[in-house]
Amino acid sequence: MAELTGTVERLTFHNADTQYTVLRLRLEGGGQATVVGHFPPPAVGEDVSFTGEWVSHPTYGRQFRAAYYELRRPSTLAGIERYLASGVVKGVGPALAARLVERFGLETLEVMEKDPERLREVPGIGPTKAEAIHRAFAGEAGLREVMIFLQGHGIGPAAAARIYRTYGADAVALLRENPYRLAEEVFGVGFKTADRLARSLGLPADAPARLEAGLVYLLRQCAGEGHLYVPLHQLVRAGATLLAVEPERVLAGVQSAAGRGLLVREALGRPEEGEEPPEVPKEAVYLAPFHHAERETAARLLALARFPLRPLLLGPAALAEAEAAGNLHLARAQRAALETALEAGVLVITGGPGTGKTTLLRQLIQLFRLAGVAVLLAAPTGRAAKRLSEAAGEEAKTVHRLLEYTYSEGEGMRFQRNLERPLEAGVVVVDEASMLDLPLTYHLLRALRRGTRLILVGDVDQLPAVGPGNVLRDLIESKVVPTVRLTEVFRQAAESLIVTNAHRINAGRYPELPRGEGEFVHVPAGTPGEAAAVVVDLVTRRLPSNCGFNPVDDVQVLAPMRRGECGVDNLNHLLQEALNPPRPGLPELRLGPETVFRVGDKVMQIRNNYKKGVFNGDIGRIRDLDPEEGTVFVEFAGATDGPVPYDRPELDELVLSYAITVHKAQGSEYPAVVLPLLTQHYLMLQRNLLYTAVTRARRHVALVGSPKAIALAVRNNRRERRYTRLSERLRQGERISPAIQPDLLPFS
């Protein structure tokens, strides 16, 4: 590779998101050159040595494409002054740069770095200003050092910027010591990036640290797919492929990681699917926190279910009184369910739309109130909690808020309600319980005293939780706690074609699709392009004009997949251009070639941010943004504290949400749902996905696509297999472990 040395004359272009930079360099031997590449820009006046190659651009001619560079601090008085006057150090402009150089001469940069107290010798610089200049100078130098180091080892500018935000100037030293910490500690940087850095630093392919990090990565990937453990033979096979080592080395890594407490190996009580090499025993491999959480979840559920409850002091007229107070009338099945509920320590209530779950729940709450029992209501998401509050006429919180998940000095974010400080309640009701993953259930149970009744309400036929585990289904299948299954659809609900079709779909029958306009329609479309165009037309024209829906607030597009012409990403682009296009006076912030945010855009938070009080799946609108500062202000539905600010580094937590996946819609309801369904979505065409999508709508459903795709989804009742042993542990009577561990993971 060639080398080019000189002084930065002018910064022509720089993109802060991609770090693509174009600058003019005054060469050491005379003349000038254009330098391009992805790197954090050096300041005007800095002496730089670039490494790269000469290329010929069809428009701009001969350029030097730099792979990386090394800074050589300015060595002349003019160079130092020009460098500082460029604004590279926050708080130092041209006038102050001149005064600094006048006072310290060639020692100016050394004084700023190593002896900031001397800066006070310059008129106008006090103690606070001197310290601020020192910090800014050190931070700028540290950023460039880290970015150059990381890019020299194959890590792109966007990931390098996130790494620097996490570790600061210590990044290089920390990552040389253990590059695999990246995968655990930096959002958006995974094992493969960390592994690329480790291999570049010379770590052997079969190094124990690499084997262990790879295994943890694979288990976390599987947790992202809903699994709590992975059969050993599958883990070994996947590890050998990922790490490009022999299976024996992967087994050694499993043994090493288990010996250090990272993993837990456990004999399986039943054969697993797939062919198993004879040399690999039938074992489950867990991440240690998940193993502990699953065991404790089973043990605490059993402890609640078996605890001898104090009889409720309810006279024979209590039921009639509660019905009258709530203006309710219960069916026979609901009355029988009430009797079970009042006696059980743990109860599951499940049923589809229109089967009276809410009516039964309101009646239960009224009865507990009459008996003088304190009731707390919760749901996994903010939207589900709001719906529960409206339905029950009582305050409901998210499970995280109920458990007071907040910052604790010295401990970071943690659940404040736990074994030492349990919830003050006789009954805890959790709605939309199909969304409960095992980690969150574990923390909820740690906050319940024995003698507290736990009632889980949900539709087990919907998609399972996004997180690991399948708590509601495992509880029902274990048959160790009472389960009330509501099947009767009440008359008023039965008049809704949405409810009727939801039950038809759940029973494996094709939905009724009447011709013309109505609350449940099918709009044919043969190709993904046609379907995308129909979706945009429905949202922007037909539904607003025919039904009076607001295209942004009332209509939610759901899609089975993110990718493709009729996937979430492309639909968001099309809908943004149709509903909120660029126009004079409308502020916008471009984050790259594919992403732009504008005031008025509908956006979704895609990870839990407890400091901001916003959670994965929360939807809001951009109310303001500052393109210069890179700041966006989002007003979330139901929020009372005003718009939430996001700085540029935090904007990877937001995505457009004119269209979202069906999984992201769990726990929510919308006035109208538009669902494209095509044979190209065949990997996701499952009955519970279609059922979940349809049950998100209150007043209108529009299916867009081919009848064949609808039929494929209705017929496909194959549920995703999740590796979990909760049901088995419940049947076996898991005991609470003697040593109760503190919060193990920042469970989401």
Side-chain angles (χ1 to χ4, degrees):
M1 300 183 82
E3 199 170 279
L4 201 63
T5 301
T7 303
V8 178
E9 181 84 5
R10 181 177 72 252
L11 181 63
T12 306
F13 174 80
H14 175 65
N15 184 306
D17 299 298
T18 65
Q19 294 293 330
Y20 183 73
T21 299
V22 180
L23 57 82
R24 290 290 287 175
L25 192 70
R26 188 172 68 252
L27 302 178
E28 258 187 355
Q32 293 185 334
T34 298
V35 180
V36 301
H38 293 273
F39 49 80
V44 172
E46 284 193 295
D47 293 336
V48 192
S49 178
F50 288 99
T51 301
E53 61 182 353
W54 288 99
V55 296
S56 180
H57 191 280
T59 302
Y60 301 110
R62 194 165 186 255
Q63 300 176 333
F64 190 80
R65 182 185 294 155
Y68 56 91
Y69 67 82
E70 293 181 2
L71 295 176
R72 301 185 306 154
R73 285 190 175 172
S75 56
T76 66
L77 293 177
I80 294 171
E81 183 175 342
R82 188 166 58 235
Y83 165 64
L84 292 176
S86 70
V88 68
V89 179
K90 187 175 181 180
V92 178
L96 184 53
R99 297 205 306 274
L100 286 166
V101 172
E102 182 182 358
R103 175 67 185 86
F104 301 114
L106 296 176
E107 296 180 343
T108 300
L109 300 182
E110 187 174 352
V111 169
M112 292 173 66
E113 180 181 16
K114 299 178 180 178
D115 198 3
E117 284 292 316
R118 290 192 59 197
L119 294 174
R120 297 165 62 181
E121 299 173 14
V122 176
I125 298 181
T128 303
K129 178 79 170 176
E131 180 60 26
I133 291 173
H134 169 65
R135 283 200 308 268
F137 182 73
E140 180 64 26
L143 168 63
R144 284 197 296 262
E145 179 189 358
V146 171
M147 297 284 277
I148 293 167
F149 167 78
L150 291 171
Q151 291 183 68
H153 288 284
I155 294 179
R162 286 196 293 271
I163 292 167
Y164 181 78
R165 289 201 303 270
T166 302
Y167 301 121
D170 296 330
V172 174
L174 292 172
L175 296 179
R176 283 189 184 277
E177 181 183 336
N178 178 15
Y180 291 106
R181 64 188 301 165
L182 284 176
E184 300 291 321
E185 298 170 355
V186 181
F187 174 70
V189 178
F191 167 79
K192 292 183 179 179
T193 299
D195 193 47
R196 187 162 60 247
L197 174 59
R199 299 307 303 279
S200 179
L201 290 172
L203 198 73
D206 61 351
R210 181 172 187 260
L211 297 174
E212 291 178 3
L215 290 165
V216 169
Y217 163 75
L218 287 170
L219 288 168
R220 287 196 179 279
Q221 288 289 102
C222 290
E225 297 170 4
H227 304 294
L228 287 170
Y229 73 87
V230 177
L232 179 59
H233 70 280
Q234 292 187 14
L235 183 62
V236 168
R237 188 161 54 234
T241 301
L242 173 72
L243 301 169
V245 297
E246 294 299 316
E248 292 77 14
R249 299 303 305 148
V250 180
L251 275 171
V254 172
Q255 185 171 349
S256 169
R260 296 206 308 119
L262 297 174
L263 314 179
V264 174
R265 300 171 67 173
E266 186 174 69
L268 291 168
R270 61 183 188 279
E272 297 295 335
E273 294 178 356
E275 295 183 5
E276 301 184 34
E279 70 276 9
V280 180
K282 295 178 179 178
E283 291 183 12
V285 182
Y286 287 81
L287 288 170
F290 286 149
H291 182 260
H292 171 82
E294 188 181 60
R295 288 191 59 193
E296 292 299 300
T297 295
R300 294 189 178 282
L301 281 168
L302 290 171
L304 289 176
R306 293 169 178 173
F307 189 80
L309 295 170
R310 176 176 60 86
L312 297 178
L313 302 177
L314 292 170
L319 184 56
E321 184 181 344
E323 286 192 61
N327 194 24
L328 303 171
H329 178 69
L330 297 182
R332 183 178 302 174
Q334 290 174 311
R335 284 177 175 267
L338 275 182
E339 297 175 5
T340 304
L342 296 174
E343 298 174 356
V346 179
L347 173 69
V348 173
I349 300 174
T350 187
T355 58
K357 294 192 301 295
T358 300
T359 300
L360 177 57
L361 189 53
R362 288 170 59 189
Q363 192 73 346
L364 274 170
I365 293 169
Q366 184 64 26
L367 283 171
F368 287 125
R369 297 291 190 209
L370 288 173
V373 179
V375 179
L376 293 175
L377 306 180
T381 67
R383 289 165 292 167
K386 184 180 179 182
R387 287 176 50 214
L388 177 58
S389 292
E390 294 168 349
E394 303 273 352
E395 181 190 15
K397 301 178 179 180
T398 65
V399 178
H400 283 88
R401 291 193 187 279
L402 184 72
L403 301 180
E404 299 176 18
Y405 192 79
T406 54
Y407 180 80
S408 179
E409 191 66 36
E411 298 179 311
M413 299 300 295
R414 70 187 300 269
F415 292 96
Q416 307 298 323
R417 292 288 185 173
N418 47 39
L419 292 173
E420 293 75 31
R421 188 169 169 259
L423 293 167
E424 302 293 332
V427 180
V428 173
V429 177
V430 181
D431 197 16
E432 294 289 352
S434 62
M435 298 177 66
L436 277 178
D437 61 20
L438 185 119
L440 188 55
T441 306
Y442 161 78
H443 282 291
L444 173 64
L445 292 168
R446 282 169 50 84
L448 301 184
R449 292 178 296 197
R450 294 192 183 189
T452 301
R453 289 172 167 85
L454 176 63
I455 300 176
L456 301 176
V457 184
D459 187 345
V460 74
D461 294 318
Q462 290 184 19
L463 289 168
V466 174
N470 204 353
V471 174
L472 190 65
R473 180 166 294 279
D474 284 347
L475 258 174
I476 293 171
E477 290 182 352
S478 74
K479 299 181 179 173
V480 301
V481 300
T483 297
V484 174
R485 187 182 289 271
L486 303 175
T487 57
E488 179 185 351
V489 180
F490 289 90
R491 182 178 59 81
Q492 186 175 358
E495 294 173 358
S496 163
L497 190 56
I498 295 175
V499 172
T500 299
N501 275 339
H503 285 278
R504 288 178 66 90
I505 291 166
N506 201 32
R509 297 160 60 198
Y510 198 83
E512 295 179 17
L513 301 174
R515 294 183 179 180
E517 300 295 335
E519 66 174 325
F520 201 111
V521 300
H522 171 237
V523 184
T527 67
E530 291 174 6
V534 169
V535 167
V536 173
D537 184 56
L538 280 165
V539 174
T540 60
R541 185 183 64 84
R542 286 175 56 174
L543 291 178
S545 62
N546 296 343
C547 307
F549 291 126
N550 181 294
V552 178
D553 295 330
D554 296 337
V555 182
Q556 184 60 61
V557 176
L558 306 180
M561 303 173 72
R562 295 203 61 86
R563 304 300 178 195
E565 199 170 357
C566 209
V568 165
D569 294 339
N570 189 54
L571 288 173
N572 267 318
H573 171 71
L574 296 175
L575 289 165
Q576 183 190 43
E577 291 305 300
L579 295 169
N580 197 28
R583 52 190 184 273
L586 180 67
E588 67 174 40
L589 178 62
R590 187 165 293 278
L591 301 177
E594 303 296 328
T595 304
V596 60
F597 287 143
R598 302 186 182 110
V599 169
D601 273 336
K602 186 177 180 181
V603 293
M604 174 185 280
Q605 174 80 13
I606 59 170
R607 64 179 291 215
N608 290 338
N609 189 321
Y610 302 101
K611 291 183 179 179
K612 292 184 182 296
V614 290
F615 302 93
N616 188 0
D618 285 352
I619 288 180
R621 298 282 292 275
I622 295 178
R623 294 307 182 194
D624 195 11
L625 61 80
D626 186 332
E628 294 299 322
E629 294 292 330
T631 306
V632 171
F633 297 86
V634 180
E635 184 176 9
F636 287 95
T640 57
D641 299 331
V644 177
Y646 290 79
D647 293 328
R648 185 184 291 272
E650 300 170 315
L651 291 178
D652 55 4
E653 298 182 14
L654 293 175
V655 295
L656 293 174
S657 63
Y658 298 100
I660 62 176
T661 63
V662 179
H663 284 82
K664 286 290 188 184
Q666 287 176 264
S668 298
E669 275 191 350
Y670 314 98
V673 163
V674 177
L675 175 71
L677 217 58
L678 300 154
T679 52
Q680 286 86 348
H681 295 141
Y682 68 95
L683 289 174
M684 299 296 293
L685 293 180
Q686 297 175 1
R687 185 184 301 173
N688 59 353
L689 181 135
L690 176 57
Y691 174 73
T692 300
V694 167
T695 55
R696 300 308 90 205
R698 287 198 301 269
R699 293 163 48 196
H700 187 89
V701 172
L703 300 183
V704 178
S706 69
K708 182 179 180 181
I710 299 172
L712 286 171
V714 169
R715 288 198 301 266
N716 182 9
N717 197 31
R718 177 183 57 83
R719 298 183 183 274
E720 58 180 275
R721 169 74 183 279
R722 291 198 168 191
Y723 290 121
T724 160
R725 303 191 71 196
L726 179 61
S727 180
E728 184 180 352
R729 294 185 195 281
L730 288 167
R731 289 193 299 270
Q732 292 174 349
E734 189 76 48
R735 295 174 181 238
I736 295 176
S737 59
I740 301 298
Q741 299 183 35
D743 295 353
L744 297 172
L745 287 177
F747 290 136
S748 60

